[in-house]
Amino acid sequence: MNQKRFRRLYRAEGLQVRKRNGRKRALGMRAPIALPSRPNERWSLDFVSDSFTDGRRFRILAVVDDCTRECLALVADTSLSGGRVARELDAIIARRCQPVTCVSDNGTELTSMAILAWSRSSGVDWHYIQPGKPQQNAYIESFNARLRDECLNETLFSTLTEARSVLARWRRDYNEVRPHSALANRTPEEFHAHHLALAVTNDQCQKVSPGLSL
């Protein structure tokens, strides 16, 4: 039987191969978003990969406040699921404040149903950048490059405990010690405190004179 006859009989019998439906993923928003103007207006998330001295791989979840450039979390583990990401975000919110929007790429963990459910229950908008365009998430990409150059490429990790300890020290130095030229040579922590003080002053002025704002 040649191919033409096979195709004719195949169509005549109404046969067809069932297509496998793709896994449902979180859709989020893909519309352009404005630059952040205050703390907790937008958080960026991404994963960074590295390896131990024995060749085993581990991943790091990085969370950054796009306005203050603060590194809110560096979570290192051998496996980081969407549910784990949601729990880590809840932990950050518990000690800080809830963001208006979270931004990420289209990775499996960040497009999971667990993230979609968390976004709905928390009321936080989730914005996905276009596939293949990491420049749309420039804040976290710049941070990841600095993390890799200054920490990951300079340190050999033997255990997960050691990696977590080194990352915690680097994060404290990044947030509390190192000034950033983009923040008028202030540290991210100082820049955050400046915004909070400005917000309090502005609120007091509004109470005295509703038409006055800073």
Side-chain angles (χ1 to χ4, degrees):
M1 181 184 295
N2 60 28
Q3 186 179 18
K4 290 183 179 179
R5 186 179 182 187
F6 174 80
R7 290 183 178 276
R8 178 167 53 81
L9 293 175
Y10 192 88
R11 288 195 299 268
E13 294 296 328
L15 301 176
Q16 62 178 7
V17 178
R18 294 183 61 186
K19 292 184 178 180
R20 181 182 176 184
N21 293 327
R23 180 174 62 85
K24 290 184 178 180
R25 294 173 180 261
L27 295 178
M29 299 184 304
R30 287 183 171 83
I33 53 178
L35 295 176
S37 59
R38 65 182 187 277
N40 300 318
E41 184 174 350
R42 190 173 75 206
W43 294 356
S44 294
L45 296 86
D46 200 7
F47 288 100
V48 183
S49 297
D50 202 17
S51 59
F52 298 113
T53 52
D54 59 5
R56 291 181 299 126
R57 304 287 296 178
F58 70 97
R59 305 181 76 196
I60 303 167
L61 169 66
V63 185
V64 172
D65 188 310
D66 289 354
C67 176
T68 65
R69 308 296 202 277
E70 291 174 279
C71 176
L72 306 181
L74 286 175
V75 183
D77 213 328
T78 54
S79 177
L80 291 166
S81 64
R84 174 70 181 280
V85 173
R87 292 194 296 272
E88 294 296 339
L89 289 174
D90 284 333
I92 299 173
I93 291 173
R95 69 173 187 267
R96 191 178 171 90
C97 190
Q98 181 169 298
V100 177
T101 304
C102 285
V103 183
S104 74
D105 59 19
N106 297 267
T108 304
E109 300 85 359
L110 301 176
T111 57
S112 65
M113 297 306 293
I115 292 298
L116 177 60
W118 181 86
S119 178
R120 286 177 176 173
S121 62
S122 63
V124 176
D125 293 329
W126 202 286
H127 180 92
Y128 292 105
I129 65 174
Q130 293 177 314
K133 294 189 176 180
Q135 65 272 17
Q136 293 182 358
N137 204 7
Y139 291 103
I140 195 72
E141 292 294 336
S142 175
F143 173 83
N144 288 347
R146 185 170 297 179
L147 171 64
R148 186 167 296 282
D149 290 342
E150 299 178 2
C151 181
L152 301 184
N153 290 347
E154 299 295 325
T155 312
L156 294 176
F157 304 110
S158 300
T159 64
L160 192 58
T161 301
E162 180 184 0
R164 288 170 175 169
S165 177
V166 171
L167 288 170
R169 290 197 301 269
W170 186 88
R171 176 173 168 264
R172 284 195 297 270
D173 179 76
Y174 178 86
N175 284 338
E176 303 172 11
V177 178
R178 185 185 316 175
H180 291 240
S181 58
L183 306 178
N185 290 321
R186 285 172 287 197
T187 66
E189 191 175 75
E190 290 172 343
F191 192 73
H192 186 198
H194 169 74
H195 263 273
L196 292 179
L198 197 63
V200 171
T201 303
N202 190 35
D203 184 62
Q204 292 175 345
C205 291
Q206 288 289 347
K207 290 179 179 179
V208 174
S209 177
L212 178 64
S213 61
L214 296 179

